[in-house]
Amino acid sequence: MSNKDPVKIGLLFSDSGATSTIGRSQLQGALLAVDDINKQGGIDGRELLPVRYDAQSDPAMYARLAERLITRDKVNVIFGCYMSSSRKAVIPIIEKWNKLLFYPTLYEGFEFSNNVIYTGAAPNQNSVQLAEFMVSNFGARVYLVGSDYIYPYESNRIMGELVQQHPDSKKLAEVYVPLTADFKHFQNVIRDVQAKKPDFIFSTVVGDSTTLLYRAYAEAGLSPKQMPIASLTTSEAEISQMGANIAAGHFTSAPYFQSIESEANRSCLARYNAGFGDLCVPNMCWEASFFQVHIFANAMRKSGSDEIAAILPFVLGSEFEAPQGRIRIEPSNHHTCLYPRIGIANSKGQFTIVREARRAVHPDPYLVTHSLGDWAARIDNLEI
Ligand code: ACM
């Protein structure tokens, strides 16, 4: 093998099915990084060659395609998955063949695989901050609604436990809707919300049906000033589907928003807009998908190989000037040091950042220490 052979990487996201909008944005984030790297001469002259499949938002399809990438396409590293159910389906395949998965999505935590690098937020980097923010600004009577699979169950459990630290807390309901829920499902949920009158709604609804929850809320005439929806998954991409006026006033906690004012963010968005146009709406999962490909490429420049045994020591502990700030892969648990932020959706379909960490918060995926105030140090931009 000549050392100028391309380096094949697997991109395993969903371009169809329930989570296609966010999946497409993750694919575009990865492709932007591939473009950056290839324009700079690849990895020591070796071009990055993505092999990509549409896993159709189906965990069984994710598992089949992961095995195909490894056994037929001969990739050593896969970048992919949005829903935790898809990650859980892929991990046994990755571990069986001893390959590496980079996972660019916030998730419920309570997991470690030596074969996975987790670059989205763990609960101590989004849920803890959101719980504190909502409870102190709106109250501790919460209504939990989510899509029917593992991430919402576990994320709701964590949010319920965090809110319970407040003396006046009350969990008024915990309801689940199918991933393919229709508008009627959400109208029923909103009727129940109107009867129970929580201080805020915590939504772990994911994917393309997110828009229906917010629409049902708006059509019922409810006001986010009194009883907002708080979420970890409603990003600029879902807002572009539902329309800025429907999302305005609701809250999301995430390490990245398009509105971050940093040179790295501005330059990344400008390259995306110039080279890729409007294939997706950049969001937290796009950003994680982008920076994790750079983390991989920088590590491979040092290891000279993408075999897990060779590259992993150079991935762990590595840092990158990401659009959200300088991130670092934490060697002890394979998760990422990230910057918690809370945004309120505004009339332009963007988030106004109302609170943000000054420094990156270490990932604590098992919530060993979880207090409501884990911000490293924080900046408050706006009084609510
Ligand atoms: C998720 O399922 N981790 C959003």
Side-chain angles (χ1 to χ4, degrees), residues 124-125 129 336-340 357 359-364 374-377:
N124 80 304
Q125 297 166 314
Q129 295 77 10
T336 308
C337 302
L338 301 169
Y339 297 79
R359 293 193 294 273
V361 168
H362 268 69
D364 179 14
D374 193 3
W375 281 96

Side-chain angles (χ1 to χ4, degrees), residues 170-370:
K170 192 157 180 162
K171 188 166 94 177
L172 299 176
E174 180 172 348
V175 296
Y176 293 95
V177 296
L179 276 163
T180 52
D182 60 20
F183 192 53
K184 277 210 170 64
H185 279 110
F186 290 107
Q187 284 178 310
N188 290 338
V189 170
I190 292 299
R191 267 194 287 277
D192 193 37
V193 165
Q194 286 175 298
K196 296 204 162 91
K197 298 188 174 47
D199 295 325
F200 73 100
I201 301 166
F202 178 54
S203 166
T204 47
V205 174
V206 306
D208 295 350
S209 67
T210 304
T211 181
L212 302 177
L213 169 68
Y214 287 72
R215 222 179 79 206
Y217 177 103
E219 286 189 12
L222 298 175
S223 163
K225 281 202 162 62
Q226 269 97 51
M227 187 217 297
I229 303 174
S231 168
L232 309 172
T233 47
T234 303
S235 74
E236 294 89 335
E238 287 80 10
I239 290 180
S240 77
Q241 287 185 296
M242 69 183 81
N245 56 332
I246 285 183
H250 296 295
F251 293 89
T252 293
S253 173
Y256 174 82
F257 296 113
Q258 270 190 55
S259 53
I260 291 171
E261 298 211 1
S262 71
E263 189 39 45
N265 185 37
R266 270 192 289 273
S267 130
C268 191
L269 287 171
R271 291 199 306 287
Y272 175 74
N273 289 328
F276 294 78
D278 53 5
L279 294 171
C280 78
V281 177
N283 62 75
M284 61 180 118
C285 297
W286 171 88
E287 191 242 10
S289 194
F290 166 80
F291 77 65
Q292 65 177 18
V293 176
H294 277 290
I295 288 278
F296 158 79
N298 289 343
M300 191 174 165
R301 286 191 184 101
K302 294 187 180 132
S303 63
S305 161
D306 63 355
E307 294 278 353
I308 187 168
I311 198 170
L312 200 49
F314 295 98
V315 170
L316 300 178
S318 68
E319 299 188 12
F320 184 73
E321 202 61 53
Q324 67 174 275
R326 192 165 184 83
I327 59 91
R328 175 173 187 269
I329 309 297
E330 171 56 44
S332 64
N333 60 29
H334 288 205
H335 289 63
T336 308
C337 302
L338 301 169
Y339 297 79
R341 290 182 166 93
I342 290 176
I344 180 169
N346 62 34
S347 60
K348 297 192 177 70
Q350 296 292 325
F351 287 95
T352 302
I353 298 169
V354 294
R355 184 173 285 177
E356 59 192 323
R358 266 181 210 278
R359 293 193 294 273
V361 168
H362 268 69
D364 179 14
Y366 289 88
L367 280 175
V368 177
T369 46
H370 62 297

